[in-house]
Every structure is written in structure tokens, then in C-alpha cells.
Amino acid sequence: MTDSSPYMTVKSVAAYLHLNEKKVYQLASDGHLPATKVTGKWLFPRKLVDQWLLESSHHGVLSDRLLISGSDDPLLQAGLLRMMQDQQYQALYSYMPTGTQAGLSLLSQGLVDCCTLHWGKADESKLRHPALVRQYAGARHWVLVHLFKRQQGLMLGKDLQGLAPVELLKYRWVMRQEGAGSQRFLKDWLGQQGARLEGLQKTASALTERETASAVAQGQADIGPGTQAAAIEAGLGFLPVYEEAFELVVPRPVYFRTLLQQLFEWLQSEAGHKKAEELEGYQLNQCGKLVWNGEQHKN
């Protein structure tokens, strides 16, 4: 491969890093050096190798910042803002809600440090979350950490409260993007009502929980999928459907970063619990628990 190729071979990586080829094979096999196997041969994305080299040189060059994507959540957003303030803005927590599957795609490309997700009922998450995560390159080097449980359901205009679920189908709906956990929830809920997305009157679209709530609050639609916390924030009614697990997918080296551990500590602190109570619909009793280890399931 040429120097302009986005991928490097074992031989070119060995020369680039001044290592012998046996050591390169070992680093790739152990998951330390970013690589992928194609028809039995290791290939190394040049951009990710450079990023790995920089982070290794400085014990994590991004140790003063944490980039998070994936599912949207009001409590997580509130916590990150307060942590930056407490640290007098000496570190950066960047949180870009993209929806579950888009966040996992960004993580697999090495563009973010971790990804939040929710993908169904809490009591099914032990199977559903790992099954989803395994679909992405790099998953065997990731771990899944529980953050909290939260109430998932339908955010309603105030005049819709008290209506039976089947009656809600005739009103105007906000749609989320494909790959968002809330859109997946909506499809499941509709199936239980014997209905489909195609039969709904869609008058608005949204990319986050808060955009969905805002569309309902502004009268662009009457109802949309989302969490109790997002509904409370926007002054909306809420129809709870089920409790879901909200979890974090993290590459192993990132898991030990001080900034991430501080996030777990804040969520478990008195301040974190107080904010969760204000927003409503959260359970934090298992926050920080490691629930899945990709290395143990690599086969």
C-alpha cells in the first residue's frame, strides 16, 4: 500500500512505529492497536494509528476532555454541565446526542470516546444491548456500563392526558430518526396497539428528546416518543410505557479515564440524586456497574 492509502499493513506499521512485526501482531490481537482483519490479513487505519500514538505518548492526550455521543438524556446533560463548572472549566465534556445507532457508528470510527444507548425494556437490556453493540467494528474491545434506569413513554400535550392509548393514534405525531432508541420504542408500542408508523399523521420530526418535547410544546405536534424527564422539563403530560436501561459503551482504555470515573461519581452523589429527583423517572442504584465485557464474548 502507498503512503497515501488510508490503511497500513503490518509491515508498514512496524516500520512507522519502529517495532518488529511480531510486536505489531501482538498489539493488534490484544486490541491495543486499532486494526481490522480482512480475509485473514491485518489492516490498520492510518488516522487511528496516529491517534493511538498521540494518546499513548501522553498517557491519553485527551485526558482533559471526554467526547460522548449516542442517545439523548436530560440528567446526563445536566450532570456534565455541572461537573465542568465544578472543575472551573479545566476539562471539557462534549455531549452530542445523535441517537443510539449513529453514536455507535461514530464510536466504531474512533471519532468519539464513548456512546450512550437505550434499546428496549430494562429487563431485556442484558440481551438486547450486547446484541446491538456486537454489530459494530471494535466491539470486542468495548465494555458496557450501566448509568441508570429511566421511564420511557409518550410525551403529550396537556389536553391529551387521560386518553386511552388507541385514541392517541389519531393525533399529530413527532417522528424520531431511524436508529434512535426512542423511534425503536415507538415501533414496539405501535405494534402492541395493532398499528404501524405508516398509519400515523406525522407533522414534525426531531433528532433528540428535547427537540421532540419542544415540537409538542410549540404546537407543531400533539404527541411524540420520549422520557418522563424530557416531558417534565417541557411542561408536558406523560404516558409511561416501560422502564428502560440507559447505558454507556466505552473502549477499555477510556473506561479508566479520570473524567469518566468522575461522571459515575457525580451520578451517585447527593447532587446527582437530587437532580434526578427534580427531573423525575430515574433509578440510580446500579450506576457504574459493568454489565458486559466484549473481550469475554469475542467468539
Side-chain angles (χ1 to χ4, degrees), residues 120-157:
K121 297 178 180 178
D123 58 5
E124 298 174 356
S125 63
K126 289 182 180 178
L127 296 176
R128 288 193 178 192
H129 286 182
L132 175 64
V133 169
R134 285 193 200 101
Q135 298 175 27
Y136 292 84
R140 73 186 183 95
H141 307 304
W142 299 346
V143 297
L144 191 57
V145 185
H146 183 82
L147 292 183
F148 41 73
K149 292 179 182 177
R150 63 183 194 174
Q151 283 292 334
Q152 177 68 263
L154 299 173
M155 300 189 285
L156 315 168

Side-chain angles (χ1 to χ4, degrees), residues 191-254:
Q192 294 169 10
Q193 313 307 316
R196 301 180 64 185
L197 281 175
E198 293 76 13
L200 297 180
Q201 181 186 176
K202 311 174 190 73
T203 59
S205 60
L207 296 177
T208 68
E209 296 272 329
R210 282 170 165 161
E211 276 193 9
T212 304
S214 178
V216 176
Q218 294 179 44
Q220 298 171 18
D222 303 306
I223 184 170
T227 61
Q228 182 175 359
I232 293 293
E233 271 194 329
L236 301 176
F238 182 72
L239 175 65
V241 176
Y242 59 59
E243 192 174 57
E244 65 180 10
F246 191 81
E247 297 180 333
L248 190 69
V249 186
V250 192
R252 272 184 212 85
V254 176

Side-chain angles (χ1 to χ4, degrees), residues 76-139:
L76 179 59
Q77 181 75 66
L80 297 176
L81 289 171
R82 283 157 177 76
M83 290 170 64
M84 283 198 296
Q85 184 182 52
D86 291 344
Q87 295 166 18
Q88 299 183 332
Y89 302 102
Q90 298 300 304
L92 170 68
Y93 288 94
S94 178
Y95 180 30
M96 177 57 68
T98 58
T100 291
Q101 290 190 313
L104 288 169
S105 177
L106 289 168
L107 182 62
S108 71
Q109 297 174 68
L111 298 176
V112 296
D113 298 314
C114 45
C115 169
T116 52
L117 81 163
H118 63 106
W119 208 246
K121 297 178 180 178
D123 58 5
E124 298 174 356
S125 63
K126 289 182 180 178
L127 296 176
R128 288 193 178 192
H129 286 182
L132 175 64
V133 169
R134 285 193 200 101
Q135 298 175 27
Y136 292 84

Side-chain angles (χ1 to χ4, degrees), residues 5-173:
S5 171
Y7 294 95
M8 305 169 75
T9 64
V10 170
K11 183 177 181 180
S12 57
V13 168
Y16 187 58
L17 299 178
H18 302 287
L19 299 172
N20 61 53
E21 293 183 21
K22 183 178 179 180
K23 183 63 174 178
V24 172
Y25 278 117
Q26 180 184 338
L27 289 170
S29 298
D30 291 344
H32 298 304
L33 189 58
T36 185
K37 224 172 190 180
V38 179
T39 62
K41 296 182 179 180
W42 285 107
L43 291 177
F44 302 81
R46 187 181 297 272
K47 183 171 69 172
L48 297 187
V49 170
D50 286 338
Q51 180 180 319
W52 173 83
L53 186 60
L54 283 170
E55 292 197 15
S56 299
S57 299
H58 297 279
H59 305 290
V61 71
L62 300 180
S63 61
D64 61 347
R65 67 202 68 182
L66 192 72
L67 310 180
I68 306 172
S69 67
S71 302
D72 189 16
D73 183 77
L75 177 59
L76 179 59
Q77 181 75 66
L80 297 176
L81 289 171
R82 283 157 177 76
M83 290 170 64
M84 283 198 296
Q85 184 182 52
D86 291 344
Q87 295 166 18
Q88 299 183 332
Y89 302 102
Q90 298 300 304
L92 170 68
Y93 288 94
S94 178
Y95 180 30
M96 177 57 68
T98 58
T100 291
Q101 290 190 313
L104 288 169
S105 177
L106 289 168
L107 182 62
S108 71
Q109 297 174 68
L111 298 176
V112 296
D113 298 314
C114 45
C115 169
T116 52
L117 81 163
H118 63 106
W119 208 246
K121 297 178 180 178
D123 58 5
E124 298 174 356
S125 63
K126 289 182 180 178
L127 296 176
R128 288 193 178 192
H129 286 182
L132 175 64
V133 169
R134 285 193 200 101
Q135 298 175 27
Y136 292 84
R140 73 186 183 95
H141 307 304
W142 299 346
V143 297
L144 191 57
V145 185
H146 183 82
L147 292 183
F148 41 73
K149 292 179 182 177
R150 63 183 194 174
Q151 283 292 334
Q152 177 68 263
L154 299 173
M155 300 189 285
L156 315 168
K158 290 290 188 179
D159 54 340
L160 270 63
Q161 291 188 92
L163 294 181
V166 69
E167 294 181 275
L168 297 173
L169 299 173
K170 64 184 180 183
Y171 287 89
R172 300 173 303 154
W173 285 77

